[in-house]
PDB file of all heavy atoms in Angstrom:
ATOM      1  N   GLU A  69      22.525 -17.299  27.049  1.00 92.00           N
ATOM      2  CA  GLU A  69      22.753 -18.128  25.913  1.00 92.00           C
ATOM      3  C   GLU A  69      21.589 -19.001  25.577  1.00 92.00           C
ATOM      4  O   GLU A  69      21.293 -19.105  24.385  1.00 92.00           O
ATOM      5  CB  GLU A  69      23.985 -18.991  26.141  1.00 92.00           C
ATOM      6  CG  GLU A  69      24.371 -19.914  25.019  1.00 92.00           C
ATOM      7  CD  GLU A  69      24.730 -19.219  23.749  1.00 92.00           C
ATOM      8  OE1 GLU A  69      25.204 -18.033  23.848  1.00 92.00           O
ATOM      9  OE2 GLU A  69      24.553 -19.778  22.643  1.00 92.00           O
ATOM     10  N   ARG A  70      20.968 -19.532  26.568  1.00 91.00           N
ATOM     11  CA  ARG A  70      19.738 -20.353  26.319  1.00 91.00           C
ATOM     12  C   ARG A  70      18.603 -19.440  25.760  1.00 91.00           C
ATOM     13  O   ARG A  70      17.881 -19.945  24.816  1.00 91.00           O
ATOM     14  CB  ARG A  70      19.312 -20.991  27.615  1.00 91.00           C
ATOM     15  CG  ARG A  70      17.990 -21.728  27.588  1.00 91.00           C
ATOM     16  CD  ARG A  70      18.162 -22.904  26.622  1.00 91.00           C
ATOM     17  NE  ARG A  70      16.809 -23.611  26.448  1.00 91.00           N
ATOM     18  CZ  ARG A  70      15.956 -23.313  25.524  1.00 91.00           C
ATOM     19  NH1 ARG A  70      16.194 -22.223  24.665  1.00 91.00           N
ATOM     20  NH2 ARG A  70      14.913 -23.935  25.413  1.00 91.00           N
ATOM     21  N   SER A  71      18.505 -18.219  26.181  1.00 89.00           N
ATOM     22  CA  SER A  71      17.372 -17.382  25.680  1.00 89.00           C
ATOM     23  C   SER A  71      17.699 -16.993  24.274  1.00 89.00           C
ATOM     24  O   SER A  71      16.722 -16.771  23.434  1.00 89.00           O
ATOM     25  CB  SER A  71      17.332 -16.110  26.529  1.00 89.00           C
ATOM     26  OG  SER A  71      17.029 -16.431  27.875  1.00 89.00           O
ATOM     27  N   ARG A  72      18.939 -16.836  23.877  1.00 89.00           N
ATOM     28  CA  ARG A  72      19.298 -16.464  22.498  1.00 89.00           C
ATOM     29  C   ARG A  72      19.024 -17.608  21.582  1.00 89.00           C
ATOM     30  O   ARG A  72      18.638 -17.409  20.399  1.00 89.00           O
ATOM     31  CB  ARG A  72      20.746 -16.043  22.323  1.00 89.00           C
ATOM     32  CG  ARG A  72      21.071 -14.665  22.827  1.00 89.00           C
ATOM     33  CD  ARG A  72      22.480 -14.241  22.458  1.00 89.00           C
ATOM     34  NE  ARG A  72      23.484 -15.038  23.252  1.00 89.00           N
ATOM     35  CZ  ARG A  72      24.009 -14.627  24.365  1.00 89.00           C
ATOM     36  NH1 ARG A  72      23.596 -13.532  24.830  1.00 89.00           N
ATOM     37  NH2 ARG A  72      24.916 -15.402  24.949  1.00 89.00           N
ATOM     38  N   GLN A  73      19.141 -18.815  22.000  1.00 89.00           N
ATOM     39  CA  GLN A  73      18.798 -20.009  21.123  1.00 89.00           C
ATOM     40  C   GLN A  73      17.259 -20.099  20.922  1.00 89.00           C
ATOM     41  O   GLN A  73      16.930 -20.656  19.799  1.00 89.00           O
ATOM     42  CB  GLN A  73      19.350 -21.270  21.823  1.00 89.00           C
ATOM     43  CG  GLN A  73      20.842 -21.248  21.835  1.00 89.00           C
ATOM     44  CD  GLN A  73      21.376 -22.460  22.572  1.00 89.00           C
ATOM     45  OE1 GLN A  73      20.628 -23.368  23.017  1.00 89.00           O
ATOM     46  NE2 GLN A  73      22.689 -22.619  22.688  1.00 89.00           N
ATOM     47  N   GLY A  74      16.468 -19.753  21.810  1.00 85.00           N
ATOM     48  CA  GLY A  74      15.071 -19.797  21.673  1.00 85.00           C
ATOM     49  C   GLY A  74      14.532 -21.217  21.370  1.00 85.00           C
ATOM     50  O   GLY A  74      14.961 -22.203  21.907  1.00 85.00           O
ATOM     51  N   SER A  75      13.558 -21.277  20.359  1.00 84.00           N
ATOM     52  CA  SER A  75      13.015 -22.587  20.061  1.00 84.00           C
ATOM     53  C   SER A  75      13.914 -23.508  19.331  1.00 84.00           C
ATOM     54  O   SER A  75      13.632 -24.669  19.142  1.00 84.00           O
ATOM     55  CB  SER A  75      11.736 -22.441  19.274  1.00 84.00           C
ATOM     56  OG  SER A  75      10.811 -21.552  19.943  1.00 84.00           O
ATOM     57  N   ALA A  76      15.069 -23.064  18.827  1.00 84.00           N
ATOM     58  CA  ALA A  76      15.985 -23.862  18.040  1.00 84.00           C
ATOM     59  C   ALA A  76      16.884 -24.648  18.951  1.00 84.00           C
ATOM     60  O   ALA A  76      17.845 -25.376  18.491  1.00 84.00           O
ATOM     61  CB  ALA A  76      16.896 -22.923  17.125  1.00 84.00           C
ATOM     62  N   HIS A  77      16.747 -24.666  20.252  1.00 85.00           N
ATOM     63  CA  HIS A  77      17.550 -25.389  21.159  1.00 85.00           C
ATOM     64  C   HIS A  77      17.279 -26.863  21.052  1.00 85.00           C
ATOM     65  O   HIS A  77      16.081 -27.249  20.908  1.00 85.00           O
ATOM     66  CB  HIS A  77      17.296 -24.863  22.601  1.00 85.00           C
ATOM     67  CG  HIS A  77      18.038 -25.697  23.620  1.00 85.00           C
ATOM     68  ND1 HIS A  77      17.464 -26.727  24.296  1.00 85.00           N
ATOM     69  CD2 HIS A  77      19.278 -25.418  24.165  1.00 85.00           C
ATOM     70  CE1 HIS A  77      18.329 -27.237  25.115  1.00 85.00           C
ATOM     71  NE2 HIS A  77      19.518 -26.352  25.095  1.00 85.00           N
ATOM     72  N   ASP A  78      18.340 -27.620  21.199  1.00 87.00           N
ATOM     73  CA  ASP A  78      18.193 -29.108  21.141  1.00 87.00           C
ATOM     74  C   ASP A  78      19.257 -29.730  22.050  1.00 87.00           C
ATOM     75  O   ASP A  78      19.996 -29.009  22.796  1.00 87.00           O
ATOM     76  CB  ASP A  78      18.376 -29.581  19.682  1.00 87.00           C
ATOM     77  CG  ASP A  78      19.697 -29.142  19.048  1.00 87.00           C
ATOM     78  OD1 ASP A  78      20.484 -28.474  19.797  1.00 87.00           O
ATOM     79  OD2 ASP A  78      19.870 -29.431  17.863  1.00 87.00           O
ATOM     80  N   ALA A  79      19.300 -31.084  22.058  1.00 89.00           N
ATOM     81  CA  ALA A  79      20.200 -31.704  23.040  1.00 89.00           C
ATOM     82  C   ALA A  79      21.728 -31.503  22.646  1.00 89.00           C
ATOM     83  O   ALA A  79      22.529 -31.395  23.594  1.00 89.00           O
ATOM     84  CB  ALA A  79      19.939 -33.193  22.946  1.00 89.00           C
ATOM     85  N   ALA A  80      21.992 -31.255  21.458  1.00 91.00           N
ATOM     86  CA  ALA A  80      23.362 -31.014  21.069  1.00 91.00           C
ATOM     87  C   ALA A  80      23.802 -29.644  21.557  1.00 91.00           C
ATOM     88  O   ALA A  80      24.944 -29.542  22.145  1.00 91.00           O
ATOM     89  CB  ALA A  80      23.562 -31.015  19.531  1.00 91.00           C
TER      90      ALA A  80
END
Side-chain angles (χ1 to χ4, degrees):
E69 178 64 24
R70 174 65 185 88
S71 300
R72 282 191 292 268
Q73 293 176 1
S75 302
H77 178 268
D78 54 6

